[in-house]
Amino acid sequence: MPAGMIYARRLAVLATSATLTVTGLLATAPAAQAAMPTPVSAATARTYLAALTVKAEGSSSGYSRDLFPHWITQSGACNTRETVLKRDGVNVVTDSSCASVSGSWYSEYDGATWTAASDLDIDHVVALSEAWRSGANAWTTAQRQAFANDLTRPQLIAVTDNVNQSKGDLDPAEWLPSRTAYRCTYARAWVHVKYHWNLSIDSAEKSALQSVLNGC
């Protein structure tokens, strides 16, 4: 066999070996800690924000949480709440009904760490009633259910229960996480969700989001 062909074959073998080595490393590398889906970048969020419809917030008339069927079954015995608790926690152990019986959770909004699932709420980043006033009042029940259980966008996150309750249905002009280091992520998540679901924003909400995103 000519020397050139032998050299080429050796290169091919070396390349294949290198590929197998890299693949092996990837296969054995530990998985990253799961968390809320990463929102779009600040630059993309600014672009999305500029594209959102700005108008006065609608009425809460007719709103009910029951119109947004939530905590539906996701897999086996696990509903949406239980799925997010498992996703957002560390060393989470669940029982046969998928309830979290132990683990540790860090609340991004306030920096608190909890070891009991009962201390956590699953926050809808864009609250259900906020969505209603921003266009979801015209959706079908199926659309509202998909929004209320959206695990694909950065819409659901496990946080300290009383912090979630103090947030209520307020928008970023009225409420931002007390942990300032998380405000950029929160604003990016808010815009990501509103853009994906084609929800409107009011002028004060837009100004507050612009202010946060310009500092990201």
Side-chain angles (χ1 to χ4, degrees):
M1 182 181 292
M5 291 183 65
I6 293 172
Y7 181 69
R9 285 187 63 185
R10 284 177 180 170
L11 285 179
V13 169
L14 287 172
T16 302
S17 297
T19 301
L20 289 172
T21 300
V22 171
T23 303
L25 287 173
L26 291 175
T28 57
Q33 178 62 43
M36 179 180 78
T38 303
V40 294
S41 68
T44 299
R46 286 191 287 268
T47 300
Y48 283 4
L49 183 60
L52 291 175
T53 299
V54 180
K55 65 179 183 180
E57 203 165 75
S59 169
S60 293
S61 177
Y63 167 74
S64 167
R65 284 179 69 85
D66 293 340
L67 295 172
F68 292 78
H70 53 290
W71 307 167
I72 61 172
T73 299
Q74 291 291 340
S75 175
C78 302
N79 65 24
T80 307
R81 171 184 164 81
E82 292 155 349
T83 300
V84 174
L85 284 172
K86 288 172 65 178
R87 183 197 71 188
D88 290 2
V90 176
N91 297 325
V92 177
V93 176
T94 57
D95 63 17
S96 59
S97 64
C98 202
S100 297
V101 295
S102 65
S104 176
W105 292 267
Y106 178 77
S107 172
E108 295 283 7
Y109 288 179
D110 59 330
T113 298
W114 303 98
T115 55
S118 58
D119 289 319
L120 284 300
D121 275 357
I122 306 305
D123 181 41
H124 289 96
V125 171
V126 176
L128 304 182
S129 53
E130 163 70 22
W132 177 269
R133 299 190 299 269
S134 305
N137 60 315
W139 292 352
T140 64
T141 300
Q143 286 175 304
R144 288 192 285 263
Q145 175 175 295
F147 176 82
N149 298 276
D150 188 357
L151 294 169
T152 305
R153 263 64 53 179
Q155 163 67 342
L156 298 171
I157 184 171
V159 296
T160 303
D161 53 4
N162 59 5
V163 171
N164 180 53
Q165 290 151 23
S166 69
K167 171 191 168 181
D169 63 354
L170 303 178
D171 70 31
E174 305 158 318
W175 187 92
L176 287 168
S178 61
R179 184 170 161 257
T180 55
Y182 197 67
R183 289 182 178 179
C184 179
T185 302
Y186 183 80
R188 289 159 48 208
W190 184 280
V191 173
H192 186 160
V193 171
K194 281 223 160 177
Y195 182 85
H196 175 82
W197 290 97
N198 196 29
L199 295 168
S200 64
I201 54 172
D202 62 48
S203 57
E205 179 185 350
K206 182 173 184 177
S207 294
L209 289 163
Q210 284 175 325
S211 178
V212 175
L213 291 171
N214 286 341
C216 291

